Amino acid sequence: MSSTPNESSHPERPSSEPPLYEGWSHWLRSPTGADLLAMEQTWLDESVGDCFGYHAVQVAPPSVDALRKNRMGLRTRLALGQTPTTVSSADETTQASACSVLRCDSQAWPIATETVDLVVLVHALEGVGDPHGLLREAARVLIPEGRLVVVGFNPMSLWALHRPLSPVQFPPIQDRWVAMGRVKDWCQLLTLQVEAGRHGQYRPVLQTETGLRRLAWLDKAGARWWPAFGAVYSLTAVKRRVGMRVIMPQWQSHPAKAAQSARSVGRAAQTSRKQPL
């Protein structure tokens, strides 16, 4: 079952998972959050702008419109484990992009298998109890040659190092951050071929815009000297279907075999006559 444009579907069955992206709207209004939002929105616009098809699905914070530059006719936002209040805020964000909203669990998407051309997961793997299960569900609904875009926090970054002790407000994610290398391994198991990946955001989390401007040089230096230690990453993968080539046996009729045997005997006789005594 898939959704239809400009319609919101909120199942009556309550979700068994805690609300995803709770508190994100407030954090994205902070100086570091706003800077992160601008960078990730640019990444997403570049990643989905050239993706064509019929149906696109996004799992993203309410303030992020991952499908803003995408031109697919059917666009759906999944509200994983979210309360009706959070879903309402997501509805307001997606009105401009004509997205429908579906409330569901991360392990049970109400979408038929192999019916989606594009899936975008923005900080979704960090917020669920089973990130591999969420990625497996995304791979299930993708059609062969469909695209997957994942944006997440890097556990090997400056943000991750001083997150436990810093008094500065961090992204409201309590679960562990999933490294890009692990996501690549999961993609390989799910027949998803990773095509591109990048890191960004090398400045620490700060509370003032003045401090962010003073440390702007870290982004250029980090991208050149320690690119793998950026606070966030993005990767794009394509679903491949493992094919099988059937090799048919080359059957030959009995007359053909007899003729081939006769030619072999004739060539052997001619060779023996040419040999000197």
Side-chain angles (χ1 to χ4, degrees), residues 27 30-36 39 153 157-163 165-171 177 200-222 226 229-232:
W27 186 81
S30 65
T32 301
D35 185 69
L36 177 67
M39 185 194 69
F153 287 115
S157 65
L158 182 62
W159 286 22
L161 289 177
H162 75 278
R163 179 179 61 162
L165 303 177
S166 176
V168 182
Q169 184 183 14
F170 269 79
W177 295 356
Q201 199 62 252
Y202 298 90
R203 287 174 286 179
V205 177
L206 300 174
Q207 292 179 327
T208 61
E209 296 182 0
T210 303
L212 287 175
R213 288 194 298 267
R214 289 177 179 176
L215 297 179
W217 60 273
L218 283 176
D219 285 339
K220 294 182 179 179
W226 52 89
F229 295 98
V232 294

Side-chain angles (χ1 to χ4, degrees), residues 123-139:
H123 300 297
L125 299 179
E126 305 100 314
V128 297
D130 185 6
H132 183 266
L134 175 61
L135 196 65
R136 183 173 59 248
E137 191 70 2

Side-chain angles (χ1 to χ4, degrees), residues 44-123:
L44 293 169
D45 292 344
E46 295 174 356
S47 300
V48 306
D50 295 333
C51 296
F52 300 96
Y54 176 69
H55 191 186
V57 174
Q58 66 171 322
V59 182
S63 302
V64 178
D65 187 3
L67 303 177
R68 184 177 64 177
K69 294 296 183 179
N70 188 261
R71 290 169 284 181
M72 294 189 190
L74 180 57
R75 287 171 285 182
T76 304
R77 178 186 288 268
L78 297 184
L80 304 181
Q82 296 185 5
T83 59
T85 303
T86 312
V87 172
S88 299
S89 62
D91 288 336
E92 296 175 0
T93 306
T94 55
Q95 281 180 357
S97 58
C99 284
S100 58
V101 179
L102 289 175
R103 184 185 175 197
C104 61
D105 291 337
S106 61
Q107 308 298 316
W109 293 10
I111 301 175
T113 301
E114 295 188 353
T115 57
V116 177
D117 302 275
L118 171 66
V119 175
V120 184
L121 304 177
V122 183
H123 300 297

Side-chain angles (χ1 to χ4, degrees), residues 250-268:
Q250 298 180 358
W251 302 106
Q252 292 183 350
S253 60
H254 293 289
K257 289 184 178 181
Q260 184 177 2
S261 301
R263 286 194 298 269
S264 300
V265 172
R267 285 194 297 268

